[in-house]
Amino acid sequence: MFSRRIIHLGHILPALLLLAGCYSMDIASNPVLDITHATAVKTETPVADRKPRHAEHVVVSNYGWFLFNSIPLACGNANPKSVFPWVFFSDQVSSRLLHDRMMTYAASTRANVKELAFFRDEQVFFTIPGTQFPVPIPYILCFREIQFSGVLTPRPEEVRQ
């Protein structure tokens, strides 16, 4: 009986850790996003001599689970020096925190953020699994996700060099 409980908890614990939360910063570059010296600074350089400067699309997001929509249970770990990808009993699903992470990255790459977009998703209904007719229970186990996205373009002073 005791060993059976350990095996059962051995299956549940990894699932709980995987579903705990996720912080991510995804960065993509595409030739469509590239700009040239002539588009950033008006010069009379021929098109063939223009050197492209890379622009990036950046998405920063974090989600987590909350008890009664106010007590943080688990979320993604937004600390850049973290060892674990999640953190328990800490609310790092914050628009201020994610905005700061994006702006810190933009400053480190000497870029301006254009077309900044904000997304927030909150689900306050929890459905009991395994029932034939789902029974929504509000504000017991709640999900929250916050996301910022934007296009990082080189600063004009960097393009002139």
Side-chain angles (χ1 to χ4, degrees):
M1 181 88 168
F2 181 70
S3 63
R4 193 172 193 181
R5 285 186 186 168
I6 292 174
I7 292 171
H8 187 62
L9 289 176
H11 293 291
I12 292 175
L13 187 59
L16 289 175
L17 292 177
L18 289 174
L19 297 174
C22 182
Y23 166 80
S24 67
M25 178 182 282
D26 300 311
I27 303 163
S29 185
N30 189 324
V32 173
L33 298 175
D34 288 350
I35 63 171
T36 61
H37 284 285
T39 57
V41 178
K42 295 185 180 190
T43 64
E44 298 194 14
T45 308
V47 175
D49 295 337
R50 295 178 191 159
K51 296 177 183 175
R53 294 286 305 203
H54 295 288
E56 299 174 322
H57 184 256
V58 178
V59 177
V60 181
S61 66
N62 198 4
Y63 70 85
W65 297 92
F66 297 82
L67 185 64
F68 307 118
N69 205 26
S70 60
I71 302 169
L73 296 176
C75 66
N77 195 346
N79 184 354
K81 297 177 183 176
S82 65
V83 176
F84 296 106
W86 55 84
V87 63
F88 296 101
F89 309 112
S90 175
D91 185 6
Q92 294 188 11
V93 184
S94 158
S95 58
R96 178 173 288 190
L97 178 68
L98 294 180
H99 184 266
D100 287 348
R101 293 293 184 266
M102 177 173 266
M103 293 304 146
T104 301
Y105 177 75
S108 72
T109 60
R110 295 182 169 163
N112 291 330
V113 179
K114 306 277 183 169
E115 301 178 24
L116 185 64
F118 175 71
F119 171 77
R120 180 182 178 112
D121 182 26
E122 242 181 277
Q123 299 173 14
V124 296
F125 287 102
F126 177 71
T127 305
I128 298 174
T131 59
Q132 185 176 5
F133 299 103
V135 179
I137 302 173
Y139 294 105
I140 301 259
L141 186 61
C142 304
F143 173 82
R144 187 179 309 152
E145 178 181 12
I146 293 180
Q147 181 182 87
F148 277 97
S149 69
V151 177
L152 273 59
T153 58
R155 291 184 183 156
E157 63 270 9
E158 295 296 318
V159 175
R160 285 187 216 140
Q161 292 181 352

